[in-house]
Amino acid sequence: MSNASERGVHRDHSPLLPTVSAGVVGLSFLTFVLAWLVLFPILTPSTQLVGGVTFYDVFGLAMLLCGVALVGSGVASRTGYVPATPSATAGVTTGVVLGVLGFVVTGLFVSQTLGIDGPMGLGWFLAAFVGGAAVFVATVAPREDVGSTVPIGAFALLAGLVVLLGVIGDSWTWNPSGLAATFSGDMAVPVVALVVSLLTAWAGAKAYEGFGARGRQLGAYMFVNLNAALMLFVLFVLIAFIVYRGLPGVLRGAAVGLGTGPEVAFGLHLPFDVPFVTNSYGLRNDVNGVLPAVFGTIWLVVGAVVLAVPTGVGAAVFLTEYSREGRFTQVVEIATNGLWSTPSIVYGLFGLAFLVPRFGNSASLLAGQLVLGFMLLPLVVITTRESIKAVPDSYRDASAALGVNQWQTIRSVVLPAALPGTVTGIILGVGRIAGETAPILLVTSSSMSPFPASRFVPRVLSGFQFTAQPPFVTNTELLQASSALPYQLYALITAGVGAGAGSDADIDPWSTALVLLIVVLTFYAVGIASRSYFRRRLQE
Amino acid sequence: MSQRTGISNVFDERLGDSTAFTAVAAVGALSLLATFVLFVVESDLASVALVVFVAAAAYGWLFHQAETAWGLSVLTTLVGIVVLGLILVFLFLEAEKAFETAGLSLLLRSAVPVWSPSQGIYGLQVAIHGTIVTTVIATLIAGPLGVAGALFISEIAPERVGELVKPAIEMLAGIPSIVYGFIGFAILNRYLFYELQLNTQGSLFLAGGVIGLMALPTVVSVAEDAITSVPESMKSGSLALGATDWQTMKGITLPAAFSGVSAAIILGIGRAVGETMAATVILGNVAGEFPNPIFDVFASTATLTSLIASQYGDAAETQLSALFVAGVVLFVIVMFLSLVSQLIERRMRRQLEGDS
């Protein structure tokens, strides 16, 4: 009893363990960030900082400090010097993670440094296995406060020493037999620092809460939160990078002001001009642009929507309103899910085999519209079905009670109520197919140059012609090949235009990527915004 | 539920309703069937039949709207099945020629060169190996990170943060694959090429990593649905016993959602297998020789998808047909994964309904 009260008092006055472990977590986090900066060479690792200290030394020192602090807190907690609530063991999960690490490190040391290897001479494997098993036992056998800190701390210490002493450093290279890659110190040190910093942060987080269930929760939450933050970061970096590289090309020659833009109708001009979007490719252009690709994408999307939306909504209505759950709906469901997961390149092959020979044996806009429509169909069916199912049965009952027949109920009660969800689903689906490259590569754009001239802008509306013989209506524009934004980007890449188009006459792939990204993400932003708007209204 | 009637009931009702509609429906159905058949046999008359169908549908809509709406909804329901059937039939039809020439060596040939159209040698093992390697790497990335992301959104994050992260992950799914591929090609390829002193630009390792990032959103959103559908009562029971949130997640929520989470990972694998453009742009697309040794993930071979996308253009007849065989292999794998994940999901739904 006296021991417990002593501990309670102790905790109030000397928060030694939380302070030290918070320091370890913070230092690990800094190491983590710094390692990424060095890895994607924003910082050069061998830069001389103050007094001849390089980033190598910084990494080594940080790992050393974390290691010492962790071993110290583990020992302090075990001897009862600082209060903690550890479980009996660090657990099998921790043991397996560290055991695998021990296996890898021992294996690399024995096979690469000592030169005992040969895939068939199992020497290194046995040593690695013994090393891994030893680490596993060292982690699982002692009480949690020792098991979850000392092995990690020792590893951090070891790594810190190796880097500080320059064993792995500036001039170090490693060419593992069997891999085509050569690892240099520039690469290896930050990678080691990444792994070590994640481990020390994990152990530090556990120690911060005094181990036990709460400690393990903090350790796990740290990883889960870091993972979520990294996903957001990746999204941000991707978009920011493409804007940074593409925006100058998109804005080349752009102007804002009354009458500067291209004519829309009746002598009215748009109040802005972005030649990269409104021009085609031509020798006499000041700025060459991607207009044919923009129009190609627009018409592809329009065609796909015209085909898929009525079909998909009709199917969803039948599945939810007319038919009972049974064998037939099950078959339809399996087919719909199957279509949803069919790879886009397979749709392309299908279009090549089925549609292209029937539309004059050449790539055509119409074939692309149909194929993209088929790809959009399952998305429309699934989302429409969900939103029709979400319409409460009381709506239908109320309508039926008024003597309205089933079709009238569907048309004037069910479908309007399901409209928001349906529209959202369609918008998100359109965003997806607008960026699809593989199918149109095969059925619509195969012959197009990466620099299409203005005659390749599809003019679908004026293309209809009526004839006296079957098929009576023809549209040469629909039966012609067309470019599209994703294809244009692909063509620029394969044409080897490279990542840094210099002169104004070139079409910059980064700018093309930016225009494509703007188109696609606009669909997504509108779709997501409308969904959350309608959901909020539903909750009110 | 009372007003929802089965197919046969509705049909009986309609037939009893009016013989005029029966005639219109017969004309419509026959003309649509004729349109389809004529289109398949490549006849110009298909459009005539289509016009007849449109006329019949318009007449029906004007004078027998309720019945016509029902009939049209039946037809639209069939479209999905028909399209899937057509894909199946035409893939196999086009693949037949390669099977006649090369036989099973298409899938079994492992002697070098495995794939050399100029010598008339068509074997897909190198591409299959590439697909397996990239898919394994992608799954190692998308599986754990995706499940962790789903846990974050549904269990850990405050509601406001979750509502911010969820659309962001959908946006991540929205970025076109060719854009991912372009960044991989222009930035990451070069980076790895110089930093690791590789022999080739492009590597299965990088392709797998990029594909993993692309499959991640699929895993997150499907796994999140599964985790959210675990009944609150199960979790509160665990919390009431004094377990921490994390213990509850590990001990109750994840095991209860296990089927749904594995379905999510399987769907992610399906996405990774079928991903085309990123692999095409990043890899060198040579399918003649295996990496040496076989586990060298820094080799720049091809995947099934990238082989199709990079070679269909200048492919002669047999080669094109062999590419269709690659398509068949892809289609079969993905259909299998899709069926398995649906079975698992159905089982999970039944279990949770039984439990609650």
Side-chain angles (χ1 to χ4, degrees):
Chain A
M1 249 353 246
S2 66
N3 189 19
S5 65
E6 228 177 66
R7 278 188 163 189
V9 172
H10 205 80
R11 168 171 276 190
D12 287 340
H13 289 285
S14 151
L16 186 61
L17 188 61
T19 317
V20 171
S21 11
V24 170
V25 174
L27 190 60
S28 308
F29 181 72
L30 288 178
T31 316
F32 184 77
V33 173
L34 195 65
W36 279 112
L37 289 177
V38 170
L39 206 55
F40 278 87
I42 299 167
L43 302 173
T44 322
S46 50
T47 323
Q48 302 269 324
L49 303 166
V50 194
V53 178
T54 64
F55 280 115
Y56 290 126
D57 304 328
V58 173
F59 283 132
L61 209 60
M63 290 189 283
L64 199 69
L65 274 176
C66 286
V68 171
L70 279 179
V71 172
S73 12
V75 171
S77 162
R78 185 69 184 91
T79 53
Y81 182 70
V82 289
T85 52
S87 310
T89 167
V92 178
T93 318
T94 318
V96 168
V97 171
L98 290 176
V100 169
L101 190 75
F103 178 88
V104 172
V105 172
T106 331
L108 284 178
F109 178 72
V110 171
S111 68
Q112 304 295 327
T113 314
L114 302 182
I116 307 168
D117 64 353
M120 288 302 141
L122 289 166
W124 68 270
F125 183 83
L126 280 177
F129 188 79
V130 170
V135 175
F136 178 80
V137 171
T139 308
V140 178
R143 211 170 72 172
E144 191 194 12
D145 46 1
V146 175
S148 64
T149 52
V150 173
I152 291 179
F155 179 60
L157 259 169
L158 180 75
L161 282 176
V162 163
V163 172
L164 265 186
L165 298 177
V167 180
I168 296 180
D170 210 0
S171 53
W172 178 88
T173 57
W174 174 47
N175 183 8
S177 62
L179 288 187
T182 305
F183 297 91
S184 65
D186 284 5
M187 193 87 175
V189 171
V191 168
V192 168
L194 272 183
V195 175
V196 169
S197 65
L198 284 177
L199 289 173
T200 50
W202 187 28
K206 282 185 190 174
Y208 181 81
E209 286 281 4
F211 308 99
R214 287 164 59 88
R216 286 200 294 277
Q217 165 158 318
L218 189 68
Y221 275 22
M222 198 192 62
F223 277 130
V224 174
N225 290 346
L226 179 70
N227 173 48
L230 281 183
M231 281 197 242
L232 290 188
F233 185 69
V234 165
L235 175 71
F236 172 77
V237 166
L238 278 178
I239 295 177
F241 189 72
I242 289 170
V243 169
Y244 165 72
R245 293 291 288 265
L247 199 59
V250 172
L251 292 182
R252 192 172 290 151
V256 180
L258 276 182
T260 51
E263 183 174 329
V264 186
F266 314 117
L268 282 174
H269 292 256
L270 287 175
F272 53 83
D273 182 26
V274 186
F276 185 77
V277 180
T278 55
N279 278 3
S280 304
Y281 190 84
L283 289 175
R284 283 176 292 152
N285 284 348
D286 289 338
V287 178
N288 281 312
V290 291
L291 188 66
V294 172
F295 266 89
T297 291
I298 292 175
W299 281 115
L300 283 171
V301 166
V302 169
V305 167
V306 166
L307 172 74
V309 170
T311 316
V313 173
V317 166
F318 179 80
L319 290 174
T320 42
E321 296 295 313
Y322 286 124
S323 81
R324 275 210 197 105
E325 300 258 325
R327 185 136 302 173
F328 180 67
T329 50
Q330 237 171 39
V331 170
V332 176
E333 206 167 299
I334 288 172
T336 310
N337 286 331
L339 280 179
W340 183 79
S341 25
T342 301
S344 55
I345 188 81
V346 172
Y347 276 102
L349 284 176
F350 164 65
L352 195 64
F354 180 59
L355 298 173
V356 169
R358 286 165 181 79
F359 296 142
N361 237 336
S362 71
S364 64
L365 196 56
L366 186 57
Q369 292 174 324
L370 290 178
V371 168
L372 290 184
F374 294 149
M375 291 185 71
L376 184 59
L377 180 63
L379 283 168
V380 177
V381 175
I382 291 168
T383 50
T384 310
R385 220 181 144 193
E386 290 293 316
S387 47
I388 292 182
K389 269 187 187 165
V391 176
D393 265 347
S394 56
Y395 283 34
R396 300 183 181 89
D397 295 341
S399 177
L402 292 172
V404 179
N405 73 20
Q406 190 181 4
W407 164 241
Q408 290 289 347
T409 306
I410 294 171
R411 202 181 66 169
S412 19
V413 177
V414 177
L415 280 183
L419 192 65
T422 309
V423 169
T424 306
I426 293 169
I427 295 173
L428 289 175
V430 165
R432 189 173 149 213
I433 59 159
E436 276 297 346
T437 319
I440 53 167
L441 174 66
L442 267 66
V443 302
T444 298
S445 309
S446 51
S447 57
M448 294 299 294
S449 117
F451 309 107
S454 60
R455 69 192 158 87
F456 289 113
V457 176
R459 293 179 172 78
V460 174
L461 289 181
S462 55
F464 283 104
Q465 281 172 338
F466 296 92
T467 51
Q469 297 143 336
F472 301 116
V473 185
T474 57
N475 188 332
T476 49
E477 294 286 329
L478 274 181
L479 294 180
Q480 247 171 21
S482 164
S483 192
L485 281 169
Y487 169 78
Q488 168 102 26
L489 180 55
Y490 173 72
L492 286 172
I493 294 171
T494 47
V497 180
S503 77
D504 284 1
D506 285 338
I507 294 177
D508 185 358
W510 289 105
S511 305
T512 313
L514 178 58
V515 174
L516 174 62
L517 205 60
I518 291 173
V519 170
V520 170
L521 291 190
T522 307
F523 278 116
Y524 270 83
V526 171
I528 290 168
S530 84
R531 183 181 57 200
S532 60
Y533 171 77
F534 284 119
R535 198 169 282 170
R536 208 164 300 147
R537 257 199 12 189
L538 210 67
Q539 280 168 357
E540 271 166 13
Chain B
M1 291 303 278
S2 57
Q3 79 275 27
R4 297 197 197 178
T5 29
I7 307 177
S8 51
N9 286 354
V10 173
F11 205 69
D12 293 342
E13 257 172 53
R14 305 298 175 238
L15 280 179
D17 243 21
S18 83
T19 40
F21 171 70
T22 318
V24 175
V27 170
L30 280 178
S31 58
L32 192 65
L33 190 66
T35 311
F36 179 69
V37 171
L38 288 169
F39 185 74
V40 170
V41 300
E42 306 183 35
S43 161
D44 276 351
L45 289 169
S47 59
V48 181
L50 184 64
V51 170
V52 174
F53 167 73
V54 171
Y59 173 82
W61 188 263
L62 287 176
F63 297 102
H64 306 276
Q65 199 180 60
E67 295 86 342
T68 311
W70 175 82
L72 287 178
S73 79
V74 175
L75 290 178
T76 51
T77 311
L78 294 174
V79 171
I81 301 174
V82 170
V83 168
L84 195 67
L86 282 175
I87 292 179
L88 203 65
V89 168
F90 274 84
L91 279 184
F92 275 99
L93 275 184
E94 297 288 322
E96 199 196 336
K97 191 176 160 56
F99 258 114
E100 272 169 19
T101 3
L104 274 179
S105 78
L106 273 167
L107 302 176
L108 298 180
R109 181 188 174 91
S110 56
V112 175
V114 181
W115 171 270
S116 173
S118 57
Q119 295 169 257
I121 296 171
Y122 304 103
L124 294 169
Q125 276 207 358
V126 171
I128 291 175
H129 167 264
T131 295
I132 292 173
V133 171
T134 49
T135 305
V136 166
I137 295 174
T139 311
L140 288 180
I141 293 174
L145 299 191
V147 175
L151 269 183
F152 177 81
I153 295 176
S154 56
E155 300 290 305
I156 296 177
E159 201 175 332
R160 201 167 278 260
V161 179
E163 270 172 24
L164 188 85
V165 175
K166 218 180 148 182
I169 285 173
E170 278 178 289
M171 289 276 214
L172 209 53
I175 296 178
S177 61
I178 186 71
V179 173
Y180 280 107
F182 180 47
I183 291 182
F185 166 81
I187 307 294
L188 300 175
N189 252 359
R190 275 163 218 228
Y191 171 72
L192 286 185
F193 180 69
Y194 289 117
E195 285 293 324
L196 297 181
Q197 300 160 36
L198 300 178
N199 305 322
T200 48
Q201 289 232 9
S203 59
L204 292 172
F205 176 75
L206 178 61
V210 172
I211 293 172
L213 184 59
M214 300 172 65
L216 188 57
T218 310
V219 180
V220 174
S221 51
V222 181
E224 192 229 322
D225 284 343
I227 293 173
T228 316
S229 69
V230 174
E232 199 60 46
S233 56
M234 292 172 81
K235 301 176 204 166
S236 2
S238 162
L239 291 173
L241 288 173
T244 60
D245 286 333
W246 175 243
Q247 281 174 326
T248 306
M249 268 178 246
K250 268 201 319 188
I252 305 292
T253 316
L254 275 183
F258 181 76
S259 317
V261 170
S262 25
I265 295 176
I266 292 173
L267 282 180
I269 295 176
R271 277 267 169 264
V273 169
E275 177 43 51
T276 309
M277 293 324 288
T280 309
V281 174
I282 290 173
L283 292 173
N285 303 318
V286 271
E289 288 178 35
F290 288 104
N292 182 29
I294 195 90
F295 54 81
D296 181 5
V297 289
F298 292 100
S300 180
T301 55
T303 64
L304 285 168
T305 51
S306 77
L307 191 71
I308 300 172
S310 62
Q311 304 210 344
Y312 83 94
D314 37 36
E317 235 177 306
T318 317
Q319 187 185 352
L320 191 61
S321 176
L323 294 178
F324 271 93
V325 176
V328 168
V329 175
L330 278 173
F331 187 73
V332 169
I333 295 174
V334 171
M335 276 308 129
F336 175 72
L337 291 175
S338 164
L339 282 177
V340 168
S341 80
Q342 284 178 65
L343 275 180
I344 292 176
E345 257 175 322
R346 192 158 299 159
R347 216 189 62 181
M348 167 169 177
R349 220 179 302 146
R350 221 175 311 146
Q351 267 177 356
L352 282 183
E353 276 164 9
D355 283 344
S356 56

